[in-house]
Amino acid sequence: MVCLMGGGASRLYSAVTLSGSSRSSLPLPPSHLDSQSADTNLDPDFCKRGSTVCPHDPAELLQQCKDALRESPPRFHRKFINLFVEDSTPSSPIRMMQWNVLAQALGEGLDSFVQCPLEALSWSHRKYLIIEEILTYRPHILCLQEVDHYYDTLQPVLAGLGYSSNFCPKPWSPCLDVEGNNGPDGCALFFDQSRFELVDSISIRLCAMRIPTNQVAVMTMLRCRITEKCVCVAVTHLKARAGWDWLRSAQGSDLLRHLQNLVQKHPGAPTGDPSSDIPLLICGDFNAIPNEEVYQRFVTSPLSLDSAYKKLSKDGLTEPEYTTWKIRPTGECCTTLDYIWYSQELLRVDTVLDMPTEEQIGPNRLPSFSYPSDHLSLVCDFSFKEKE
């Protein structure tokens, strides 16, 4: 069963995904590729009136962000850890960035970050931190979750920097329950058009027991303009909260099945390579710690996947201690939920951005005046492995 975007949800779906909710059925927002809503008000701090994109010089835009944040604490200083040996310096690496940016409506409305000042949660502050983070690392492929400022800010700003993108909103986003919201949150996948050309892109609702759930994914097939090799990229955000392990596991299995189908749909890179030679890059906030079933499903998948951030550990087998660190009324949460999965037989991890220390993050944890989200960005450089 292919659970593509569109259509309503069954009563059984409501029972599985929205237990206890009285929210009425809402029409599914459309998924767009490089589209701009006609009635969208573009962010005036970044975009000129009457324009559908915000053309920028990257250096000037980064300076604009720094100027807007000059009264704020400095951003985290993070270093790239080189994993390759000197005689195997990667040629034309692919930079990948994974980040749950924290939906604005959730940050100000539902997530209750009790140690974070309200001023630090304002969009007028956070938007500069988000753009600054992206510009600092300039990924070729950018995978984001909890995006609720796609049409007015992220899409036009990044389009002005040369990125093409696809956005898939959640069918029943919790952002819609917040007064003054900016629309539903969802997953967005951006890619640098100077480095990649689009081959195919699909947005799906993830299924569990053949029932469409409230979680989505964007899957995109890209062709590298330098190597002419294809890579299949996915971004997702699995079901949150304790007690939903089984649902996350089912959603992860459904995503893997869809990715396998997409790769098999495109058996021919320009050289006629078989589908097994198209590597996967899967980014997401899985809402699952490493000992959960969905994580194990990815580890044991016949697609031969591995988690890139394990490379930071001494043994290469252990995930970071945390990718999210926050304080809510229920207590402090410091754990790993975010991952970049890759085809280990076809791709090599060349560099990994290290994690900020507890001292850098500070006693009030995340988000803060110096960091806009409760999740940390993950950034890796990959290169294609040469056939033996």
Side-chain angles (χ1 to χ4, degrees):
M1 177 181 180
V2 178
C3 303
L4 297 175
M5 295 297 295
S10 66
R11 292 178 184 175
L12 183 55
Y13 159 74
S14 298
V16 170
T17 63
L18 301 173
S19 57
S21 173
S22 61
R23 188 183 300 132
S24 60
S25 295
L26 298 172
L28 287 173
S31 175
H32 295 274
L33 182 66
D34 273 348
S35 63
Q36 180 67 47
S37 299
D39 58 350
T40 296
N41 294 316
L42 300 186
D43 191 312
D45 290 328
F46 297 120
C47 306
K48 294 180 180 179
R49 181 170 298 189
S51 174
T52 57
V53 297
C54 309
H56 281 291
D57 174 84
E60 291 180 0
L61 181 58
L62 183 59
Q63 188 59 50
Q64 180 185 350
C65 293
K66 292 182 182 298
D67 290 344
L69 298 167
R70 60 183 176 274
E71 302 298 327
S72 299
R75 60 187 304 277
F76 301 149
H77 178 65
R78 302 169 65 182
K79 298 182 297 182
F80 279 101
I81 306 301
N82 293 325
L83 304 174
F84 55 84
V85 293
E86 290 185 6
D87 61 351
S88 62
T89 302
S91 59
S92 305
I94 300 167
R95 177 156 294 180
M96 189 88 186
M97 184 173 184
Q98 147 62 29
W99 197 16
N100 178 333
V101 295
L102 176 60
Q104 186 60 31
L106 300 184
E108 287 188 308
L110 300 178
D111 274 352
S112 300
F113 299 111
V114 293
Q115 296 295 99
C116 183
L118 288 177
E119 295 86 351
L121 289 170
S122 68
W123 182 242
S124 60
H125 178 77
R126 293 182 63 241
K127 65 184 181 184
Y128 289 108
L129 287 170
I130 292 171
I131 298 297
E132 181 187 42
E133 183 85 352
I134 295 169
L135 282 171
T136 297
Y137 301 117
R138 290 304 304 271
H140 298 110
I141 304 171
L142 172 63
C143 293
L144 303 179
Q145 301 86 38
E146 290 197 21
V147 175
D148 63 348
H149 275 273
Y150 176 80
Y151 294 110
D152 62 338
T153 306
L154 290 175
Q155 191 276 335
V157 169
L158 292 176
L161 295 172
Y163 288 88
S164 181
S165 59
N166 196 358
F167 171 66
C168 185
K170 293 176 184 173
W172 277 273
S173 167
C175 294
L176 299 176
D177 290 335
V178 178
E179 185 177 355
N181 68 79
N182 198 58
D185 76 302
C187 294
L189 192 155
F190 298 81
F191 65 91
D192 183 347
Q193 296 180 90
S194 68
R195 181 63 185 273
F196 291 99
E197 61 177 315
L198 178 68
V199 176
D200 198 0
S201 188
I202 302 172
S203 296
I204 62 168
R205 283 171 66 179
L206 297 173
C207 294
M209 301 183 298
R210 296 185 174 271
I211 301 167
T213 69
N214 194 40
Q215 279 63 51
V216 299
V218 178
M219 305 182 301
T220 299
M221 183 74 72
L222 301 172
R223 181 176 293 121
C224 177
R225 296 184 187 275
I226 297 174
T227 65
E228 293 194 342
K229 294 181 179 180
C230 287
V231 60
C232 185
V233 186
V235 55
T236 194
H237 188 186
L238 302 187
K239 172 66 180 174
R241 309 289 182 240
W244 291 99
D245 307 35
W246 67 271
L247 182 56
R248 287 189 284 272
S249 180
Q251 290 174 336
S253 296
D254 192 49
L255 176 59
L256 290 173
R257 180 174 61 85
H258 278 293
L259 284 167
Q260 198 161 22
N261 290 341
L262 180 59
V263 167
Q264 290 172 350
K265 177 183 171 184
H266 297 278
T271 56
D273 290 340
S275 61
S276 60
D277 286 342
I278 299 178
L280 298 175
L281 286 167
I282 308 168
C283 293
D285 175 356
F286 278 55
N287 277 306
I289 58 177
N291 64 4
E292 199 172 299
E293 184 177 344
V294 65
Y295 183 96
Q296 299 306 318
R297 281 191 180 274
F298 274 65
V299 169
T300 59
S301 165
L303 297 174
S304 188
L305 300 171
D306 199 7
S307 173
Y309 258 72
K310 291 195 300 186
K311 299 290 186 180
L312 279 182
S313 65
K314 292 181 179 179
D315 60 7
L317 302 173
T318 309
E319 295 288 353
E321 184 180 351
Y322 49 82
T323 62
T324 180
W325 201 340
K326 62 200 116 189
I327 301 175
R328 287 175 168 153
T330 52
E332 189 165 350
C333 174
C334 174
T335 191
T336 292
L337 303 175
D338 309 272
Y339 307 97
I340 299 178
W341 297 92
Y342 70 102
S343 298
Q344 57 184 324
E345 295 179 357
L346 300 172
L347 294 173
R348 183 182 69 186
V349 185
D350 296 317
T351 63
V352 179
L353 184 67
D354 70 2
M355 307 302 283
T357 64
E358 178 179 359
E359 183 179 6
Q360 286 178 294
I361 290 173
N364 294 331
R365 309 316 184 198
L366 304 173
S368 65
F369 275 113
S370 55
Y371 204 78
S373 176
D374 55 321
H375 290 253
L376 294 161
S377 64
L378 309 182
V379 186
C380 297
D381 289 341
F382 294 91
S383 58
F384 291 100
K385 284 186 175 181
E386 297 299 326
K387 291 183 178 180
E388 297 181 358

